Amino acid sequence: MSLKDKTLFITGGSRGIGLAIAVRAAQDGANVAIAAKTAEPHAKLEGTIYSAAEAIEKAGGKALPLLCDLRDESQLAAAVEQTVSRFGGIDILVNNASAISLTGTLATDMKRYDLMNSINTRGTYMAGRHCIPHLKKAANPHILTLSPPLDMRAKWFAPHVAYSIAKYGMSLCTLGWAQEFAREGIAANSLWPRTAIATAAIRLIGGDALMKKSRKPEIMADAAHAILCKPAREFTGHFCIDDVVLWESGMRDFSGYAAVPGTPESELMEDFFVPADTPKLG
């Protein structure tokens, strides 16, 4: 199981889960293109495309930092072409970029609605549309989208319908692409965490209290790695939960992923959109 010499195109990978996936792939010796819009340090969010590239190179991979606003098709198209020019193709697309606002209908203006849907749903669709022609030429092509299982209960929509629409739109891309491109052997899967993940976004939402109830981004990176190493023709159309993927790969101890060492599993906060029928582990 290795991603050595594979080329990954990751949207929004300058920090958090996207960066963790990039670094895990780099440990195998992968080529990683980071397409994100953070070129200068942000006051509240750590990481830029350049610091991400440094981390990738340090981990053993080859990096290509690409300044790209996912809402701009010309920028995305140019980023894809630069990746192909630099590395000779694209083997894996990771749709990681996402915007979040956990607000109700009357508190979510159209500017915020448009931002979430432009980055989440439209950005995912557009990245797929530009990368799929190159994925068709790859030996074991994968699309991995960081979006939830399609559990259509009202409880997941009522508190923040605009955000939920934007995230479920990403999942609908997975559902459609898995069948649309099955003959070409392109796998399309989604990955979602069982618990909150300790990222800058989580800190902004819940502060240190929520961070202490979270797991590290590395659990998502290890689960992503397990998925991306599977034969594409044999594993597609799945909506995966991070620890279930790792459990099925043979892992039994998840304590090392706790953001605060020693935190009992029972004290971790379950993430949004986790279906009630998700297997309980242990």
Side-chain angles (χ1 to χ4, degrees), residues 5-12 30-36 49 56 62-68 70 74-94 127 130-132 134-135 137-138:
D5 297 327
K6 298 292 186 181
T7 296
L8 289 76
F9 186 91
I10 303 179
T11 65
N31 309 315
V32 185
I34 295 293
I49 56 174
I56 291 164
K62 295 178 181 178
L64 178 62
L66 297 164
L67 186 60
C68 177
L70 195 56
S74 64
Q75 290 187 29
L76 176 65
V80 169
E81 291 308 313
Q82 287 178 62
T83 302
V84 173
S85 177
R86 170 74 176 275
F87 298 123
I90 296 174
D91 299 282
I92 294 165
L93 165 63
V94 178
H130 283 275
C131 287
I132 286 169
H134 302 288
L135 293 174
K137 303 173 186 178

Side-chain angles (χ1 to χ4, degrees), residues 91-269:
D91 299 282
I92 294 165
L93 165 63
V94 178
N95 289 305
N96 166 76
S98 190
I100 182 171
S101 181
L102 300 177
T103 46
T105 300
L106 299 183
T108 310
D109 60 26
M110 297 316 298
K111 181 179 180 181
R112 180 62 60 176
Y113 177 96
D114 289 343
L115 175 67
M116 288 190 285
N117 280 275
S118 292
I119 294 174
N120 302 8
T121 301
R122 185 175 182 272
T124 294
Y125 176 86
M126 190 161 62
R129 191 169 185 277
H130 283 275
C131 287
I132 286 169
H134 302 288
L135 293 174
K136 286 183 176 183
K137 303 173 186 178
N140 191 46
H142 280 266
I143 300 172
L144 184 63
T145 300
L146 302 189
S147 63
L150 287 168
D151 182 1
M152 303 299 288
R153 288 179 294 171
K155 63 179 277 187
W156 300 131
F157 292 85
H160 37 68
V161 65
Y163 173 66
S164 298
I165 288 171
K167 291 303 293 186
Y168 275 57
M170 298 171 73
S171 298
L172 289 172
C173 288
T174 292
L175 185 69
W177 287 338
Q179 183 165 327
E180 183 178 2
F181 299 106
R183 287 189 177 183
E184 285 89 345
I186 300 174
N189 297 289
S190 282
L191 176 63
W192 195 248
R194 182 189 295 269
T195 71
I197 300 295
T199 64
I202 287 296
R203 186 181 296 279
L204 288 175
I205 292 169
D208 289 339
L210 183 52
M211 294 286 279
K212 292 177 181 178
K213 298 179 180 180
S214 303
R215 283 172 168 164
K216 300 175 184 177
E218 283 71 21
I219 190 170
M220 288 288 282
D222 289 343
H225 183 269
I227 292 169
L228 297 174
C229 286
K230 293 180 182 292
R233 289 187 178 274
E234 299 176 14
F235 192 85
T236 187
H238 297 281
F239 293 91
C240 306
I241 299 296
D242 57 358
D243 58 6
V244 176
V245 172
L246 296 174
W247 179 276
E248 292 174 347
S249 298
M251 182 176 289
R252 293 295 180 267
D253 182 5
F254 299 96
S255 61
Y257 292 118
V260 176
T263 302
E265 296 282 317
S266 60
E267 293 183 13
L268 297 175
M269 178 170 287

